[in-house]
Each structure stands twice: as structure tokens, then as C-alpha cells.
Amino acid sequence: MSINVLNADSQVLKGEKNMGEVLLVYELRPESPEIKPESLEERVRANLPERIKMQNTIEKRPLAFGLVSMVAQFIIPEEDGMQDSLEEYLSAIEGVQSVNLDFVTRL
């Protein structure tokens, strides 16, 4: 049996999976005040997985005791495991103490 579904563009999809994209906003907290948001940004962009896009601008969010976190936006394909892969990548970056998801939405 074949199921036909109309998407927002009124195109008929026949059994195909229509993959969208997801916007994720993460706050990356540094391990120490010596690690600046610009440094974290460079480290994140250096080896960003191919199918993950990082938006051009970051937000700096002052914390306590001189710590300044980096808030960044990422766009990933809407696929199982992509968000987990991104979080594992961000958590493994040298100088990152914690990774917190602030916002998520489907594009």
C-alpha cells in the first residue's frame, strides 16, 4: 500500500521521507575564565561535522567569577541521532565544562 501525503508546497510524496532541518541553540560554558568565547568558537568550528552548520554570530553570556559562556546556533538535518552526535562533539571540545540546550525548533 502506498500513502500519499501533501506537504506545505502541495507536492505529493509517495513513501519518501521528507527530511527537514532543526535549529538548536546551545550554551557552552568554559572550564575557566581564561577560556574566552572567541577561543571556544574557533575550537567548535575547527572540526565541525560536515552535515552540521553553525551560524555566523555567537552571543557572549556573562556568568560568575569572570566566566563568559558562548551561545551558538546550529542547524542539523532532522534525523535520528544527529542531536546526540552534536552534543557529544561539543562536550568533547577541550575547555568546555558543560553544554546546555537552550532552544530547539524545526525549520
Side-chain angles (χ1 to χ4, degrees):
M1 173 174 25
S2 178
I3 298 173
N4 295 331
V5 180
L6 294 176
N7 68 10
D9 297 324
S10 297
Q11 298 172 344
V12 177
L13 303 174
K14 295 182 180 179
E16 294 178 16
K17 219 173 179 182
N18 186 16
M19 290 295 180
E21 292 182 315
V22 178
L23 172 70
L24 302 160
V25 179
Y26 283 98
E27 177 185 26
L28 282 70
R29 294 184 178 199
E31 292 177 343
S32 71
E34 289 78 32
I35 301 172
K36 303 299 179 200
E38 297 82 6
S39 174
L40 285 180
E41 179 182 11
E42 288 174 13
R43 293 174 190 180
V44 170
R45 290 187 189 278
N47 296 308
L48 195 63
E50 183 178 311
R51 299 180 62 211
I52 298 173
K53 297 177 249 176
M54 182 176 170
Q55 299 301 300
N56 290 333
T57 58
I58 64 164
E59 176 188 341
K60 299 172 189 174
R61 189 177 290 170
L63 301 171
F65 308 109
L67 289 171
V68 180
S69 68
M70 176 186 93
V71 179
Q73 300 178 10
F74 299 89
I75 296 176
I76 62 171
E78 185 179 23
E79 294 177 11
D80 287 341
M82 286 301 295
Q83 182 176 346
D84 293 334
S85 295
L86 175 58
E87 289 178 7
E88 288 171 11
Y89 169 74
L90 295 174
S91 297
I93 294 173
E94 184 181 340
V96 173
Q97 177 184 5
S98 66
V99 176
N100 300 310
L101 179 64
D102 280 356
F103 180 78
V104 61
T105 189
R106 186 170 190 250
L107 299 176

